[in-house]
Amino acid sequence: MVLAQDGVKPIRLVCLDLPGTTIGDVAMVERAFAEAIATQGIVPGTGAYARAMVHVHRSRGCSKIDVFRGIFPDNEAQAQAANLTFERSYEGAIGRAGLVPLPGIVEALDKLRGADVKVCLTTGFSRVTLGRVLAALSWSDRLDLALCPEDTGRGRPMPDLVLATVMRLGIEDVRQVAVVGDSESEMLCGRRAGAAVVGGVLTGVHSRERLLNGGATHILDSIADLPGLLLDSAPAESPLATAAH
């Protein structure tokens, strides 16, 4: 298993993101955001739309309602209305097209669970949307927990999702935790929580540079590479891992 920097603590918990990390629906999320802000008068082809979508991209991984509050900072009613539209749009897309697990994720989950590593899905989705996602994936037998900002009070980039998982699953030390995602906010969350491994995957929204800027300790081509990193007795020598320092 991966050891923390002191060479003592084995990884006992992995916190995984959803879109762009374990499921390949980044485009569905983008469309849902676009539809949501359009209902509030921000339409494609305008400067306001371009600015809003830049904010969306920069804020990926964060609580969705917080993203809309950033777009409509002086109007909570607009932010709430846009968030509701986002949820309906995204859930409708799931109903029409389903969700596609990224290559290697099911095998990765099985390997981690087989090695007695607990697995939690963390997300910026609401509890309702998270429930819809979990129902579509049918991964319940491969997961120990799934948390969203409504469960913890604050979403990413704050450390709450990871720390709440540590407490709920009885992990003794944050250095026994690996956090894996595809956005800068997820890297910040993992580093602020004190996770020993903060892995950025390149299958999602943010570049290698953005992930390293957020504090990634390792860069992975995809989630399929995670077991090889975490279950390797000498991960620092792995070509899949790139130190952020």
Side-chain angles (χ1 to χ4, degrees):
M1 290 191 178
V2 160
L3 299 183
Q5 293 180 3
D6 63 6
V8 175
K9 300 293 183 181
I11 296 298
R12 297 298 185 193
L13 166 67
V14 177
C15 295
L16 298 173
D17 178 49
L18 279 166
T21 301
T22 57
I23 54 178
D25 67 340
V26 171
M28 288 169 57
V29 174
E30 294 283 344
R31 285 194 296 270
F33 270 117
E35 290 179 16
I37 63 175
T39 64
Q40 303 305 309
I42 301 179
V43 296
T46 65
Y49 177 85
R51 290 190 295 272
M53 293 309 291
V54 166
H55 176 76
V56 166
H57 181 75
R58 289 176 176 170
S59 303
R60 287 301 297 268
C62 298
S63 167
K64 301 303 179 281
I65 183 59
D66 287 344
V67 176
F68 289 116
R69 284 171 176 151
I71 298 173
F72 306 105
D74 302 316
N75 196 321
E76 178 68 12
Q78 270 192 302
Q80 292 287 348
N83 188 60
L84 181 59
T85 300
F86 171 88
E87 292 179 350
R88 290 173 175 170
S89 175
Y90 185 72
E91 291 172 27
I94 294 175
R96 293 188 299 272
L99 291 173
V100 179
L102 284 172
I105 178 57
V106 173
E107 294 81 0
L109 292 174
D110 288 343
K111 288 177 181 178
L112 292 172
R113 294 298 301 280
D116 199 29
V117 177
K118 295 183 183 296
V119 177
C120 177
L121 291 182
T122 60
T123 182
F125 288 140
S126 69
R127 170 51 61 181
V128 171
T129 303
L130 175 57
R132 183 70 180 86
V133 169
L134 293 175
L137 291 173
S138 300
W139 286 352
S140 60
D141 60 334
R142 294 182 169 92
L143 303 173
D144 295 282
L145 192 62
L147 293 180
C148 67
E150 291 173 45
D151 300 315
T152 62
R154 298 186 302 179
R156 306 174 185 124
M158 301 305 171
D160 302 36
L161 283 168
V162 174
L163 297 178
T165 303
V166 167
M167 291 187 288
R168 294 195 188 194
L169 294 182
I171 303 302
E172 295 180 354
D173 194 320
V174 291
R175 291 171 296 175
Q176 296 176 306
V177 179
V179 174
V180 182
D182 66 301
S183 72
E184 184 176 10
S185 68
E186 290 148 13
M187 303 299 97
L188 286 166
C189 174
R191 290 305 291 263
R192 290 172 177 178
V197 175
V198 180
V201 294
L202 299 177
T203 49
V205 293
H206 286 166
S207 66
R208 175 188 296 267
E209 291 70 27
R210 287 288 298 275
L211 295 170
L212 290 173
N213 185 60
T217 60
H218 297 77
I219 298 295
L220 303 175
D221 288 333
S222 77
I223 198 68
D225 297 328
L226 185 62
L229 173 64
L230 297 188
L231 306 180
D232 191 328
S233 60
E237 300 175 359
S238 171
L240 298 175
T242 302
H245 305 295

